[in-house]
């Protein structure tokens, strides 16, 4: 039996197309993000007239890690463009944990604030788990609180972690049915790998999570219908490992010496074998921020006692 990316028997016309196609189709996160954000902008205008206020997102940045500064700036900019009010709290690196917990308590009580985001990583003297647990789960727009992770685990998703949620939107947009697919995730972080496994399981895939102790990464990748690369290691996944027709999602983002961005996957070689692939940049990155906006809007709906209407797709 010839297998497609979907492990179904396929007809000869499809087979010829697959064999002759040298280049994967692009899962275009930039284009989908633009469409979703346009929809959100209109939705927020309507929400403002109904409730007399726009959704609000509080962003806490501790210290001056340059990458975190850029991420936070991009998040605030994205908020402003769609009409979400951002409340910025930039704190020095030596801020005490007690101070941050006090601030989170205030933001939990502030009716103008629908979402709270503490940019990670935080300095070493601060315990990120204690910080995350202090956030009201209904305002946890990162979806990292154990309540929200637990909700996803037991198949009643509430606020969902943004990067995995964005990957699922990309797959959904491309019309990819995940039932019975062999999905292999590379990386088992709390922010991406683990919640990605929960999302794929919820969508009916058979899921393997590989990590730093996995013995033979190549053999796992070679049998995967879907690869999600979230190891944070530039070029870890060789293009030749990708099964013909597989779907490749690259969560990695690394800056090369020439200033260009690249991912965890060797894109050029992988795109000759994959059926679908995300580019870096322009794939998962913009979707992460878009799902943060989505979660902030969802939190607003719940705070004003509205059902979330429609989707932004
Ligand atoms: N640091 C890197 N990615 C993220 C993210 O999605 N959310 C937060 N809070 N911190 C991050």
């Amino acid at each position: 039996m010839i297998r497609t990316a979907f492990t179904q028997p396929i007809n000869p016309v499809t087979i010829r197309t697959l064999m002759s196609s040298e280049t994967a189709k692009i899962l275009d996160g930039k284009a989908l993000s633009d469409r979703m954000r346009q929809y959100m902008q209109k939705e927020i205008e309507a929400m403002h007239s109904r409730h007399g206020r726009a959704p609000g997102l509080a962003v806490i940045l501790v210290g001056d890690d340059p990458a975190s500064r850029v991420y936070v700036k991009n998040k605030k900019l994205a908020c402003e463009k769609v009409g979400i009010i951002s409340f910025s709290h930039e704190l020095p690196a030596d801020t005490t944990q007690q101070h941050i917990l006090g601030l989170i308590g205030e933001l939990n009580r502030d009716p103008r604030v629908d979402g709270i985001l503490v940019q990670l990583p935080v300095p070493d003297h601060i315990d990120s788990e204690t910080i995350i647990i202090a956030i009201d789960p209904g305002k946890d727009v990162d979806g990292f609180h154990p309540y929200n992770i637990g909700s996803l685990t037991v198949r009643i998703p509430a606020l969902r972690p943004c990067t995995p949620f964005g990957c699922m939107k990309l797959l959904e947009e491309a019309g990819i049915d995940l039932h019975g697919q062999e999905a292999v995730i590379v990386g088992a972080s709390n922010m991406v790998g683990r919640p990605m496994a929960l999302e794929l399981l919820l969508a009916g895939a058979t899921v393997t999570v590989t990590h730093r102790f996995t013995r033979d990464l190549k053999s796992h990748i070679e049998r995967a219908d879907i690869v999600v690369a979230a190891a944070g290691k530039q070029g870890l996944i060789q293009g030749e490992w990708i099964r013909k027709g597989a779907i490749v999602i690259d969560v990695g983002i690394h800056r090369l010496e020439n200033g260009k961005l690249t991912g965890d996957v060797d894109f050029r070689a992988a795109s000759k074998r994959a059926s679908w692939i995300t580019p870096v940049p322009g794939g998962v990155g913009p979707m992460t921020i878009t799902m943060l906006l989505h979660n902030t809007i969802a939190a607003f709906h719940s705070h004003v006692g509205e059902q979330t209407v429609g989707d932004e797709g």
Side-chain angles (χ1 to χ4, degrees):
M1 184 184 82
I2 291 187
R3 288 163 25 122
T4 64
F6 311 105
T7 60
Q8 299 284 331
I10 48 174
N11 72 38
V13 176
T14 320
I15 292 166
R16 274 198 300 280
T17 313
L18 255 184
M19 288 179 163
S20 65
S21 86
E22 283 278 285
T23 311
K25 291 189 282 286
I26 296 294
L27 291 162
D28 189 341
K30 171 78 174 63
L32 179 56
S33 277
D34 287 349
R35 280 204 302 284
M36 289 178 72
R37 292 184 200 188
Q38 267 176 22
Y39 182 98
M40 287 176 187
Q41 197 174 353
K42 294 202 184 77
E43 193 188 358
I44 289 169
E45 275 168 24
M47 287 154 84
H48 196 286
S49 20
R50 279 200 306 278
H51 300 286
R53 73 171 182 95
L57 173 67
V59 180
I60 303 175
L61 173 65
V62 189
D64 36 36
D65 174 60
S68 291
R69 270 197 185 281
V70 172
Y71 286 131
V72 162
K73 192 180 105 205
N74 290 341
K75 287 171 186 177
K76 286 194 290 201
L77 218 63
C79 280
E80 276 164 29
K81 279 196 177 160
V82 296
I84 292 173
I85 314 283
S86 70
F87 302 94
S88 191
H89 297 270
E90 299 196 358
L91 307 172
D94 61 357
T95 305
T96 63
Q97 179 161 303
Q98 214 45 43
H99 182 85
I100 300 168
L101 292 175
L103 174 58
I104 290 172
E106 280 170 30
L107 297 170
N108 281 343
R109 291 185 292 275
D110 189 333
R112 299 166 305 161
V113 172
D114 299 290
I116 302 169
L117 178 152
V118 180
Q119 185 65 24
L120 300 173
V122 283
D124 288 346
H125 67 280
I126 294 161
D127 178 44
S128 57
E129 298 307 325
T130 305
I131 297 295
I132 290 167
I133 289 168
I135 298 171
D136 173 350
K139 295 192 176 189
D140 168 41
V141 285
D142 264 325
F144 294 161
H145 192 288
Y147 174 88
N148 285 317
I149 295 293
S151 300
L152 185 57
T153 308
V154 296
R155 296 181 278 186
I156 42 170
L159 290 168
R160 301 155 85 148
C162 301
T163 299
F165 197 10
C167 295
M168 298 309 287
K169 282 277 170 198
L170 277 171
L171 292 167
E172 188 186 306
E173 174 74 4
I176 293 162
D177 178 8
L178 294 163
H179 289 94
Q181 301 292 314
E182 289 286 343
V184 173
I185 300 166
V186 187
S189 68
N190 285 355
M191 274 194 268
V192 184
R194 284 163 199 261
M196 189 74 224
L198 296 171
E199 286 284 1
L200 287 165
L201 195 56
L202 186 63
T206 303
V207 183
T208 303
V209 183
T210 65
H211 45 74
R212 71 173 82 172
F213 302 120
T214 296
R215 260 183 269 120
D216 186 1
L217 177 62
K218 178 170 176 267
S219 71
H220 288 285
I221 302 291
E222 281 174 340
R223 62 172 178 75
D225 297 312
I226 299 164
V227 177
V228 180
K233 289 201 176 130
Q234 184 197 321
L236 175 70
I237 315 289
Q238 295 183 25
E240 293 70 28
W241 298 358
I242 303 297
R243 205 169 60 70
K244 199 103 182 132
I247 297 160
V248 177
I249 297 185
D250 194 346
V251 179
I253 184 148
H254 313 278
R255 195 168 289 281
L256 297 172
E257 278 182 3
N258 64 10
K260 289 196 174 153
L261 294 175
T262 187
D264 286 0
V265 179
D266 173 0
F267 179 85
R268 195 196 292 244
S271 60
K272 291 189 178 136
R273 303 179 63 79
S275 58
W276 289 94
I277 192 166
T278 57
V280 178
V284 175
M287 290 305 294
T288 295
I289 298 188
T290 299
M291 301 325 290
L292 172 69
L293 306 176
H294 169 101
N295 281 350
T296 306
I297 293 169
F300 174 98
H301 279 304
S302 138
H303 293 146
V304 297
E306 275 183 349
Q307 290 273 321
T308 306
V309 274
D311 208 340
E312 305 86 0

